[in-house]
Amino acid sequence: MKFFLDTANLEEIKKINALGLVDGVTTNPTLIAKEGRDFETVIKEICQEVSGPVSAEVISLDYDGMVAEARKVAQWAENVVVKIPMTEDGLRAVNTLSKEGIKTNVTLIFSVAQGLLAAKAGATYISPFIGRIDDMGEEGMQLIEDLRLVLDNYDLQAEIIAASIRHINHFQASALAGADIATVPGKLFPKLWAHPLTDKGIESFLADWDKFQEAL
Ligand code: G3P
């Protein structure tokens, strides 16, 4: 499974990238707004830091607007992926852009039907939002499992990005369900390598070592 970071914060990205663990980045208008800086500048900086795909979302909701924005955003860097919302106009835009060789990430996927349509329209990536499905009292991870099955059944090439990941188990279950990618919030990522028993183990090994040294 590839690891993407779901953040527009360059410091967070640099920290995790230094571990060699960042295969790509996803952003959305909320994450860009949090940074309080110019959209184009932020995306260009991230694209320089990370060699993998970096998703930047369009704001327009109509077909013409989406395609125009996508063409502009796609020129910001070679590794930009244009994020398009899952709507009728969005599907049409994805179809047009895929024919132009512009990579797309169809976002806000909440059903197998939506994922299947996006993949057929030519999306490079599809982003089911598992945390937000859980918020509705349903099982977000089931959608990842179902989409994996459907894309494999019909040999569709879109990659599944498990998005709206809220906790460690979402990340682990995404890997078990066969997601191609998990996009993890910058704040959550450090929790993936931490475990209290690891800390406790290190502490007791070192305490025993100190006792041994004193006894020599
Ligand atoms: O990748 C999608 C993500 O940014 C949305 O996450 O936690 O707002 O549902 P969340």
Side-chain angles (χ1 to χ4, degrees):
M1 184 169 71
K2 285 175 268 187
F3 305 162
F4 283 9
L5 274 181
D6 194 33
T7 180
N9 185 281
L10 199 61
E11 293 317 307
E12 278 179 351
I13 294 168
K14 282 183 176 169
K15 194 176 156 204
I16 314 295
N17 202 25
L19 306 179
L21 291 175
V22 182
D23 297 308
V25 171
T26 51
T27 69
N28 60 39
T30 304
L31 294 172
I32 295 287
K34 263 191 205 162
E35 296 308 303
R37 300 196 294 131
D38 174 59
F39 181 31
E40 181 175 345
T41 307
V42 171
I43 293 297
K44 282 182 172 169
E45 286 175 2
I46 297 173
C47 285
Q48 276 205 323
E49 171 65 24
V50 174
S51 55
V54 174
S55 289
E57 190 159 340
V58 297
I59 305 303
S60 304
L61 291 178
D62 63 297
Y63 167 81
D64 289 328
M66 281 186 200
V67 170
E69 261 189 76
R71 286 177 182 147
K72 192 177 81 178
V73 168
Q75 284 175 5
W76 289 348
E78 285 211 339
N79 51 337
V80 166
V81 171
V82 183
K83 217 171 181 188
I84 305 271
M86 174 65 218
T87 60
E88 180 182 351
D89 282 43
L91 288 172
R92 197 175 149 212
V94 166
N95 186 241
T96 299
L97 296 167
S98 72
K99 286 173 183 155
E100 295 177 13
I102 294 176
K103 291 187 175 161
T104 54
N105 171 3
V106 178
T107 188
L108 293 161
I109 301 266
F110 293 98
S111 71
V112 172
Q114 288 182 321
L116 184 54
L117 263 60
K120 289 268 279 187
T124 319
Y125 303 96
I126 56 173
S127 290
F129 274 36
I130 56 182
R132 292 191 191 186
I133 297 176
D134 287 357
D135 291 346
M136 303 286 289
E138 290 165 33
E139 187 49 62
M141 202 48 62
Q142 188 61 49
L143 179 56
I144 303 288
E145 286 177 28
D146 292 347
L147 284 169
R148 177 74 285 147
L149 186 68
V150 168
L151 295 192
D152 288 350
N153 276 349
Y154 298 104
D155 202 20
L156 291 162
Q157 298 309 306
E159 290 191 65
I160 301 170
I161 303 180
S164 183
I165 285 189
R166 305 273 177 76
H167 49 68
I168 296 172
N169 199 41
H170 275 153
F171 174 80
Q172 294 174 156
S174 296
L176 290 168
D180 297 287
I181 298 145
T183 191
V184 181
K187 298 259 177 304
L188 176 64
F189 207 98
K191 294 187 180 152
L192 301 179
W193 67 67
H195 198 288
L197 290 179
T198 305
D199 296 342
K200 213 174 150 194
I202 292 171
E203 205 179 304
S204 72
F205 286 155
L206 290 181
D208 289 344
W209 181 257
D210 286 347
K211 271 188 237 155
F212 166 60
Q213 294 301 305
E214 279 164 25
L216 283 179

